[in-house]
């Protein structure tokens, strides 16, 4: 409608300056967008940024150069390496209700390239998780009175811990996980915290405050909860980059990966955006694939050393790698399965997606 009105008025002037016509059409497009926005809500500049490629190109270049660095930190496969060098990952989670999430996270870590994947879960969850896969090492210890010591025994042999998939909110389990987080921090073991692990952090932010080897991976809801708990005010939804930066800084520059339509990744200094194409299909469990992949990539990034990271924060590179991979898996699975895509379909794509992104 808006476009037609402008065209009629322009024609009425007789001779038309093509530049003027284009400018008028531009104004009309903006008017149309504004009208649409009045109905649908998102801030105008966000939509404009997505609409006009001028703003998009530097972002994509940004991402491509970051992906180049991600390729740098991926260790080459070699017969010389002994088992365990490519990563021994521990997943802390799994209770009576939730057994899928820790399985997805742990198997994804293996598929991405870890040598060994451990799961530390509640007693009842262990036989179920074992029955999903003979490839995982499952410890039924998380609800035991000696849970912290049982996990601590393994810490010297683990490169990273993924805390939260399928954890639930049982007070006893959360208390034990608090002890596990403290023990990991004392030993400098990197922790990736997701799902109900983030619920625990919202109650007790001091657990990660200032810990430079912690990565939080909140979705929209988890992000709001954390933000409100730490900054004692609502999220400014008109400024997603500013908000993610603020949360990271308030936690002492802990790395935050906010999952969404585009993932935002920050270490309190830089904000990266992962806009790798995924699909319109979101399925439960996708976040577990991300956290498992991140568990491996954090180990690789820290192992690679500053030269290969070319001055970038290794945790940011790991996060960009894991986010891109998860999205690529989603994209490929969706090509095959469409609406019926599930996390199992996405995990089946890890190998091909990995080659495509990182081995070209
Ligand atoms: C976090 O990073 C910001 C930006 O570089 C810096 O100003 C601040 O001092 C850092 N905070 C901590 C606790 O390191
Ligand atoms: C490494 O950093 C230098 C200096 O910031 C930059 O010019 C170069 O392009 C970077 N290399 C890669 C592969 O990103």
């Amino acid at each position: 409608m808006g476009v037609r009105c402008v065209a009629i008025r322009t024609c009425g002037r007789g001779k038309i300056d093509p530049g003027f016509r284009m400018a008028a059409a531009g104004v009309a497009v903006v008017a149309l967008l504004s009208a649409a926005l009045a109905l649908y809500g998102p801030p105008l500049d966000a939509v404009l940024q997505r609409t006009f490629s001028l703003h998009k190109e530097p972002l994509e270049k940004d991402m491509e150069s970051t992906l180049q660095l991600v390729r740098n930190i991926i260790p080459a496969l070699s017969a010389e390496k002994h088992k365990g060098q490519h990563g021994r990952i521990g997943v802390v989670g799994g209770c009576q209700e939730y057994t899928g999430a820790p399985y997805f996270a742990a198997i994804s870590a293996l598929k991405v390239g870890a040598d060994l994947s451990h799961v530390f879960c509640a007693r009842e969850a262990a036989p179920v998780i074992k029955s999903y896969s003979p490839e995982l090492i499952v410890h039924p210890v998380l609800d035991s009175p000696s849970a912290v010591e049982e996990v601590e025994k393994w810490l010297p042999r683990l490169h990273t811990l993924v805390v939260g998939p399928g954890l639930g909110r049982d007070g006893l389990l959360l208390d034990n996980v608090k002890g596990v987080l403290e023990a990991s921090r004392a030993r400098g073991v990197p922790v990736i915290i997701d799902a109900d692990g983030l619920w625990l952090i919202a109650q007790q932010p001091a657990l990660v405050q200032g810990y430079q080897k912690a990565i939080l991976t909140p979705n929209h809801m988890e992000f709001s909860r954390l933000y409100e708990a730490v900054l004692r005010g609502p999220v400014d939804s008109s400024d997603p980059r500013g908000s993610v930066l603020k949360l990271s800084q308030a936690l002492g520059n802990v790395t935050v990966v906010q999952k969404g339509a585009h993932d935002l990744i920050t270490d309190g200094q830089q904000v990266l955006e992962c806009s790798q194409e995924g699909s319109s299909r979101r399925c439960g469990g996708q976040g577990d694939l991300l956290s498992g992949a991140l568990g491996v990539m954090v180990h690789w990034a820290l192992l690679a050393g500053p030269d290969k990271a070319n001055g970038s924060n290794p945790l940011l590179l790991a996060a960009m790698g894991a986010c891109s991979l998860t999205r690529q898996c989603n994209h490929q699975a969706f090509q095959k399965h469409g609406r019926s895509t599930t996390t199992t379909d996405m995990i089946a794509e890890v190998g091909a997606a990995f080659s495509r992104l990182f081995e070209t």
Side-chain angles (χ1 to χ4, degrees), residues 19-343:
F20 174 76
R21 193 174 358 186
M22 281 189 51
V27 168
V29 169
V30 172
L32 260 181
L33 279 172
S34 310
L37 285 170
L39 292 174
Y40 295 110
L44 180 61
D45 58 346
V47 172
L48 288 179
Q49 272 196 17
R50 257 177 268 141
T51 310
F52 296 115
S53 57
L54 260 181
H55 288 267
K56 218 168 136 196
E57 266 168 27
L59 247 183
E60 274 168 10
K61 228 181 256 163
D62 231 41
M63 213 184 110
E64 187 39 51
S65 64
T66 310
L67 282 181
Q68 193 48 52
L69 291 175
V70 175
R71 292 178 194 118
N72 275 358
I73 58 146
I74 293 171
L77 292 176
S78 146
E80 259 96 87
K81 298 229 167 86
H82 58 79
K83 189 166 77 175
Q85 261 180 316
H86 282 155
R88 294 182 296 264
I89 312 303
V91 175
V92 179
C95 59
Q96 190 184 20
E97 294 94 328
Y98 307 118
T99 54
Y103 161 76
F104 287 141
I107 202 78
S108 297
L110 278 182
K111 297 269 180 192
V112 169
D115 295 312
L116 292 170
S117 228
H118 295 254
V119 177
F120 300 91
C121 60
R123 174 159 294 277
E124 285 168 298
V128 183
I129 297 171
K130 284 181 194 178
S131 76
Y132 296 151
S133 167
E135 296 171 277
L136 306 177
I137 304 159
V138 183
H139 309 266
V141 298
L142 210 53
D143 53 350
S144 114
S146 56
V148 179
E149 297 89 89
E150 294 288 341
V151 180
E152 210 171 1
K153 269 198 320 219
W154 284 92
L155 285 183
R157 283 178 269 177
L158 296 176
H159 295 114
T160 55
L161 272 192
V162 178
V163 177
L167 181 58
R169 293 186 186 169
D170 176 79
L172 172 73
L173 284 190
L174 290 179
D175 225 37
N176 288 338
V177 168
K178 179 181 173 218
V180 169
L181 283 173
E182 286 164 345
S184 308
R185 186 171 181 168
R187 289 184 170 272
V189 175
V191 289
I192 291 95
I193 306 181
D194 191 35
D196 282 327
L198 294 171
W199 197 79
L200 175 64
I201 299 304
Q203 317 301 308
Q204 306 186 47
L207 286 171
V208 294
Q209 182 77 40
Y211 185 39
Q212 302 296 329
K213 290 187 184 171
I215 304 188
L216 312 182
T217 55
N219 59 23
H220 182 78
M221 180 64 216
E222 291 157 348
F223 182 83
S224 300
R225 190 186 297 125
L226 268 174
Y227 188 98
E228 282 164 23
V230 174
L231 286 137
R232 312 207 169 277
V235 179
D236 175 3
S237 58
S238 71
D239 184 15
R241 285 178 162 246
S243 300
V244 75
L245 196 60
K246 263 195 205 156
L247 176 62
S248 168
Q249 288 176 351
L251 287 170
N253 295 343
V254 156
T255 298
V256 178
V257 177
Q258 188 190 12
K259 298 175 287 191
H262 288 187
D263 305 319
L264 293 176
I265 303 165
T266 187
D267 59 353
Q269 321 213 6
Q270 232 185 324
V271 182
L272 301 178
E273 186 170 332
C274 180
S275 51
Q276 184 72 36
E277 189 182 0
S279 80
S280 49
R281 169 79 173 131
R282 295 284 178 101
C283 45
Q286 187 164 328
D288 305 315
L289 196 171
L290 173 68
S291 66
L294 195 48
V296 186
M297 290 205 169
V298 163
H299 167 56
W300 290 349
L302 291 171
L303 194 66
D307 279 358
K308 287 189 174 165
N310 196 26
S312 291
N313 179 339
L315 298 191
L316 291 186
L317 297 182
M320 182 61 101
C323 288
S324 306
L325 181 65
T326 304
R327 288 165 164 275
Q328 180 66 25
C329 288
N330 181 282
H331 182 72
Q332 291 180 196
F334 188 76
Q335 302 282 308
K336 293 184 188 166
H337 306 281
R339 195 178 277 283
S340 83
T341 300
T342 62
T343 300

